[in-house]
Amino acid sequence: MGILDRSDKKNKKEESVSTKEEQHFENSWNDDTLKDDQRQAEAVAEKQYHVVQEGESLSEIAKKYYGNADQWQVICDANQDQIENTDEVQPGQRLYIPDIE
């Protein structure tokens, strides 16, 4: 057995390991994974938003979606990045309306 023979065996062994890793990766993407991804995408698409109209308040928006004006804080908390003053929401603002339980 010469030096080239040993080198050739080593390369075949490395190829074998690489192929097994590639097969493992390919097998990790199965139907369940794809279905989970689709469910997550649908959940994002189902999120409810409200575009603020002239004269609307958080209380009015909460009453519309939750049937209770006192739930305005839920909307405010979910949109902290957009609401600077809870007494003034701006027309055209797109507010996320979270589900409440």
Side-chain angles (χ1 to χ4, degrees):
M1 177 179 265
I3 293 174
L4 294 177
D5 292 333
R6 289 182 192 160
S7 176
D8 191 41
K9 285 184 180 181
K10 182 178 178 184
N11 287 339
K12 286 182 181 180
K13 185 176 181 180
E14 287 174 0
E15 284 178 21
S16 174
V17 170
S18 177
T19 304
K20 287 179 184 176
E21 289 172 355
E22 289 171 5
Q23 287 174 348
H24 175 72
F25 179 76
E26 288 175 10
N27 292 338
S28 69
W29 286 95
N30 58 29
D31 287 341
D32 290 337
T33 303
L34 296 175
K35 287 177 185 175
D36 287 343
D37 288 349
Q38 184 177 5
R39 279 187 284 248
Q40 288 175 353
E42 289 170 357
V44 168
E46 290 176 8
K47 284 187 174 183
Q48 188 167 25
Y49 290 88
H50 176 83
V51 178
V52 178
Q53 302 301 309
E54 184 74 38
E56 280 187 315
S57 67
L58 288 174
S59 297
E60 291 171 328
I61 297 168
K63 179 136 177 94
K64 176 179 178 178
Y65 289 95
Y66 304 133
N68 183 349
D70 293 335
Q71 295 292 333
W72 67 269
Q73 187 69 46
V74 174
I75 298 170
C76 185
D77 290 346
N79 294 280
Q80 291 176 359
D81 60 329
Q82 293 188 64
I83 300 173
E84 293 178 23
N85 180 352
T86 57
D87 294 328
E88 285 185 29
V89 286
Q90 302 301 314
Q93 278 183 307
R94 187 171 181 252
L95 303 177
Y96 168 58
I97 309 298
D99 290 334
I100 58 173
E101 296 174 21

